[in-house]
């Protein structure tokens, strides 16, 4: 029995020594078995060269390729080209040009009292606003400002004269105080106003 125990001890000792030697030889070497050959089943794809898509435009500077600049378009001139901005006063008096032209045409076309007076009333309301806006500012001394104020007063007086003449003519003789309502006198006053309108329109256009 003792002999069997000694033999078992020797076998166990040899086993531990072989295990320790095997661990020492292969430690840190990773997997030491046989790896499969993957090259037979896998071939790396070569990167494809991609060329940029560029549409070549021939004769880019030709007249067919470029559109003319719309210089007559106010939006392009004032916004795109960034021209020097005009003053607010110039913008304001420019709005009077079509008003004066309409009154001028009304006299030329011999429109009735109602149409004429309506156009004069609109002009006067805008002139009142212009007066309140610039009367205390340097623009209040401009010739264009003073001309508009004078013209507003003149147009208003002629409008009142026409309205009164239409109202009182059936009851007044054209002598004495009634002379001012004489159709000839009213026509003369309209002609004076027409000349003043023409001069004012030219003045405002030259102010730009």
């Amino acid at each position: 029995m003792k002999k069997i125990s000694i033999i078992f001890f020797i076998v166990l000792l040899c086993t531990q020594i072989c295990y320790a030697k095997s661990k020492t030889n292969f430690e840190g070497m990773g997997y030491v078995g046989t790896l499969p050959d993957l090259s037979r089943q896998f071939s790396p794809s070569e990167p494809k060269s991609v060329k940029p898509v560029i549409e070549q435009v021939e004769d880019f500077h030709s007249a067919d390729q470029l559109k003319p600049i719309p210089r007559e378009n106010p939006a392009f001139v004032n916004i795109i080209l960034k021209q020097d901005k005009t003053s607010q006063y110039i913008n304001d008096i420019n709005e009077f040009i079509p008003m004066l032209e309409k009154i001028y045409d009304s006299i030329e076309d011999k429109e009735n009292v109602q149409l004429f007076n309506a156009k004069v009333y609109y002009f006067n309301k805008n002139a009142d606003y212009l007066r309140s806006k610039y009367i205390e500012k340097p623009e209040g001394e401009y010739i264009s400002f003073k001309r508009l104020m004078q013209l507003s007063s003149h147009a208003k007086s002629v409008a009142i004269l026409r309205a009164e003449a239409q109202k009182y003519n059936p009851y007044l003789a054209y002598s004495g105080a009634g002379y001012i309502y004489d159709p000839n006198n009213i026509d003369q006053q309209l002609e004076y106003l027409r000349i003043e309108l023409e001069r004012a329109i030219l003045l405002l256009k030259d102010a730009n």
Side-chain angles (χ1 to χ4, degrees):
M1 184 69 180
K2 184 176 181 182
K3 187 176 180 179
I4 294 174
S5 300
I6 294 172
I7 293 172
F8 178 77
F9 175 76
I10 293 172
V11 172
L12 180 63
L13 181 61
C14 290
T15 302
Q16 291 179 350
I17 292 172
C18 291
Y19 174 78
K21 184 177 180 181
S22 174
K23 185 177 180 181
T24 302
N25 291 339
F26 300 104
E27 185 175 5
M29 297 181 64
Y31 179 74
V32 294
T34 302
L35 295 174
D37 186 5
L38 299 178
S39 62
R40 297 178 180 179
Q41 301 178 0
F42 175 76
S43 58
S45 59
E46 296 181 357
K48 297 180 179 180
S49 59
V50 180
K51 295 182 179 180
V53 179
I54 301 177
E55 295 182 0
Q56 184 175 1
V57 179
E58 297 181 357
D59 299 330
F60 176 76
H61 295 287
S62 65
D64 295 335
Q65 295 290 339
L66 298 178
K67 294 182 178 180
I69 297 175
R71 295 185 180 275
E72 70 282 358
N73 187 338
F76 181 84
V77 173
N78 296 330
I79 298 174
I80 305 300
L81 293 185
K82 302 292 185 182
Q83 285 191 341
D84 294 336
K85 294 183 179 179
T86 57
S87 68
Q88 184 59 49
Y89 174 77
I90 295 297
N91 292 332
D92 287 341
I93 64 172
N94 279 342
E95 295 180 2
F96 283 88
I97 295 175
M99 298 181 208
L100 302 185
E101 289 175 339
K102 288 180 180 179
I103 299 174
Y104 182 93
D105 292 339
S106 179
I107 297 173
E108 287 276 288
D109 298 337
K110 299 185 183 301
E111 287 185 338
N112 61 48
V113 176
Q114 286 75 19
L115 291 175
F116 172 82
N117 284 10
K119 294 174 182 178
V120 170
Y121 175 81
Y122 182 70
F123 164 52
N124 286 332
K125 295 299 291 184
N126 282 274
D128 290 341
Y129 171 76
L130 191 74
R131 180 186 294 106
S132 63
K133 185 175 182 179
Y134 293 109
I135 191 63
E136 299 296 335
K137 296 180 180 180
E139 290 85 351
E141 298 299 321
Y142 290 177
I143 296 177
S144 56
F145 177 85
K146 293 182 177 180
R147 179 65 62 84
L148 279 173
M149 296 303 104
Q150 294 170 355
L151 187 59
S152 173
S153 178
H154 187 180
K156 184 177 181 179
S157 65
V158 174
I160 293 174
L161 179 62
R162 292 193 69 184
E164 290 180 346
Q166 187 179 47
K167 180 178 179 180
Y168 299 126
N169 264 346
Y171 312 104
L172 291 175
Y174 296 141
S175 59
Y179 169 76
I180 61 173
Y181 302 119
D182 188 317
N184 293 327
N185 181 57
I186 293 178
D187 289 342
Q188 190 176 37
Q189 296 302 320
L190 286 171
E191 179 60 17
Y192 292 153
L193 179 60
R194 188 191 65 81
I195 295 172
E196 290 302 313
L197 286 166
E198 184 176 11
R199 291 174 178 174
I201 291 170
L202 293 175
L203 177 64
L204 295 184
K205 289 182 177 181
D206 288 342
N208 291 280

